[in-house]
Amino acid sequence: MRTSMSSRELERVGVMGRVDSGALKLKDAAAMLELSYRQVKRLWRRYRQVGGKGLQHGNAGRPSNRSKPLKLRRRVLNLIKKKYSGSEEERFGPTLASEHLAEEDGIAIDHETLRGWRLAEGLWSRQRRRKKHCQRRERKSHFGELVQMDGSFHDWLEQRGPRGCLMDMVDDATGQVEARMGKEETIWAAVEVLRGWIGNYGIPRALYTDWKNVYQRKATPAEQLRGEVPVTQFGRMCQKLGIRIIAASSPQAAILPVYASQRPLPDTTQDLVRGCELGFAAASISGD
C-alpha cells in the first residue's frame, strides 16, 4: 500500500508550481510532461483546486484490490516462523518455502508475494549468501599414491541400449584411467575395476571415494557403543590388500577432482563404449 507520491507525481507537482508562478505556460508544461494539452489543463485545474495533493493517484493509501487478506498473511508468516525460518544456512528461500506451503500446508502463494511479506517482517534479507570458498588441493607427486574411484550413470550407449554405470579409476598424479562398464555401481563392479587396475599397475596406496555404502557406511548403534569403526565388504578387501579408503565429505567433492584430472577420451575408447554390451567392457586409457 503506497502512501507517498511517486517520482512522476512529484515531477508534475513541480511543473504545475512553475505554471502557477508564471514561469511556464501550459503549452510548455505539456511538452515537458509529455502529455497532451487537454491532459495538462485537467492537471492544472486539480492543482488550483486542492494543491499538489490533487495530483496524487486516487488509490494511494488504499489497500490493493488484488491484495491477500490480512488473516491469510498472518497465518503464512506464522508458518514461516515456525517451520521455514532459522539461521541463514537453515532457512528456506521464498521459492522453496512457497513450494512447501503449497504441498504441506495447502496454501498457494506466489514466491514474490512471500518475499515481500518476509522482507517487511524482517524474515528475509536481500543480501546474497556468499558461497564457501573451496581451495583446490595439489595433486599427489607419485603414481599410485592416490587413485580416485567413482561410478558415473549415463546413457553411454546413446539410446541403443539401457543406461549403464561407468566405473572408473583415475590416478591423481598422472591422470591414468582404468574403466569398466556395468549395470550398477555395486561392490562387484568396484572390485572388477580395482582388479583390472591392480593387474595393470599394481596395488594403489589409497582410494579416494564418495560416501556410498559400497565404499563407506555409517556405524550401527551397536558399533557405536563398542567404539568400532564401520567397514564395508569392499573395505575389508582393501584392508587385506593394504589399501586405505579416503571418503570425501560430499559426492561433489569426490567428483570434481576426478573430472578435472581427466583429459578427452581417445576415439578408440569412445568406439568401445558405443559398441559394448552391458556386461563388463574394459578400457585402459593413458593420461598422457
Side-chain angles (χ1 to χ4, degrees):
M1 183 171 61
R2 179 172 65 88
T3 56
S4 58
M5 282 190 170
S6 66
S7 57
R8 186 176 67 172
E9 291 166 346
L10 289 171
E11 181 187 12
R12 290 179 176 182
V13 170
V15 171
M16 290 298 105
R18 293 176 64 185
V19 172
D20 189 38
S21 66
L24 205 62
K25 294 183 179 179
L26 283 179
K27 182 179 178 181
D28 299 324
M32 289 181 66
L33 296 175
E34 298 180 350
L35 298 173
S36 68
Y37 182 73
R38 180 178 293 180
Q39 286 176 299
V40 171
K41 281 185 70 176
R42 285 200 295 267
L43 291 177
W44 172 237
R45 189 182 305 117
R46 284 207 301 270
Y47 181 83
R48 283 189 302 173
Q49 290 173 352
V50 293
K53 199 68 176 175
L55 303 187
Q56 190 175 22
H57 196 281
N59 286 335
R62 298 178 183 175
S64 170
N65 292 330
R66 295 184 296 174
S67 63
K68 304 290 184 183
L70 188 60
K71 185 178 180 180
L72 174 65
R73 175 170 174 164
R74 284 199 296 263
R75 182 187 171 197
V76 168
L77 290 175
N78 285 334
L79 285 169
I80 291 292
K81 292 175 184 177
K82 183 180 178 181
K83 299 173 62 176
Y84 309 120
S85 289
S87 65
E88 286 194 5
E89 291 76 19
E90 297 171 341
R91 68 186 183 186
F92 285 33
T95 303
L96 185 59
S98 175
E99 293 173 358
H100 278 264
L101 282 168
E103 294 173 5
E104 298 179 12
D105 304 297
I107 302 174
I109 194 81
D110 185 74
H111 64 279
E112 288 301 330
T113 301
L114 190 58
R115 188 191 308 275
W117 290 358
R118 293 178 70 178
L119 283 169
E121 293 291 322
L123 300 175
W124 188 249
S125 62
R126 297 182 188 274
Q127 186 177 2
R128 292 184 178 180
R129 288 180 290 180
R130 292 185 178 181
K131 292 183 179 179
K132 185 179 178 180
H133 175 69
C134 297
Q135 185 176 1
R136 284 186 177 271
R137 60 171 177 80
E138 294 293 328
R139 287 190 181 188
K140 298 296 183 181
S141 303
H142 305 289
F143 180 81
E145 189 176 355
L146 178 65
V147 179
Q148 303 171 42
M149 175 184 282
D150 192 34
S152 177
F153 287 91
H154 184 65
D155 185 15
W156 297 106
L157 300 182
E158 300 172 336
Q159 298 183 352
R160 289 179 295 213
R163 285 169 61 90
C165 178
L166 182 67
M167 295 293 301
D168 66 339
M169 295 178 65
V170 184
D171 180 66
D172 193 65
T174 64
Q176 181 76 28
V177 178
E178 182 81 14
R180 294 287 189 281
M181 180 68 75
K183 293 181 181 179
E184 300 289 342
E185 187 177 1
T186 63
I187 177 175
W188 302 115
V191 167
E192 186 70 20
V193 70
L194 178 59
R195 180 185 296 165
W197 181 279
I198 294 173
N200 290 328
Y201 313 112
I203 299 174
R205 292 189 61 186
L207 291 179
Y208 185 61
T209 69
D210 57 23
W211 274 92
K212 291 193 177 89
N213 286 336
V214 172
Y215 315 109
Q216 295 273 20
R217 65 177 178 83
K218 294 182 178 180
T220 63
E223 288 173 334
Q224 290 177 349
L225 288 173
R226 293 193 298 265
E228 295 178 1
V229 177
V231 181
T232 64
Q233 189 173 355
F234 180 78
R236 282 193 291 272
M237 294 179 187
C238 289
Q239 284 180 352
K240 290 182 179 180
L241 292 170
I243 302 172
R244 179 186 172 201
I245 295 181
I246 303 172
S249 58
S250 69
Q252 292 78 11
I255 291 169
L256 286 174
V258 171
Y259 291 102
S261 64
Q262 288 180 355
R263 295 164 176 80
L265 301 180
D267 292 339
T268 54
T269 306
Q270 296 288 4
D271 293 339
L272 173 64
V273 171
R274 290 191 184 106
C276 73
E277 298 292 337
L278 267 183
F280 274 99
S284 179
I285 307 152
S286 173
D288 297 330

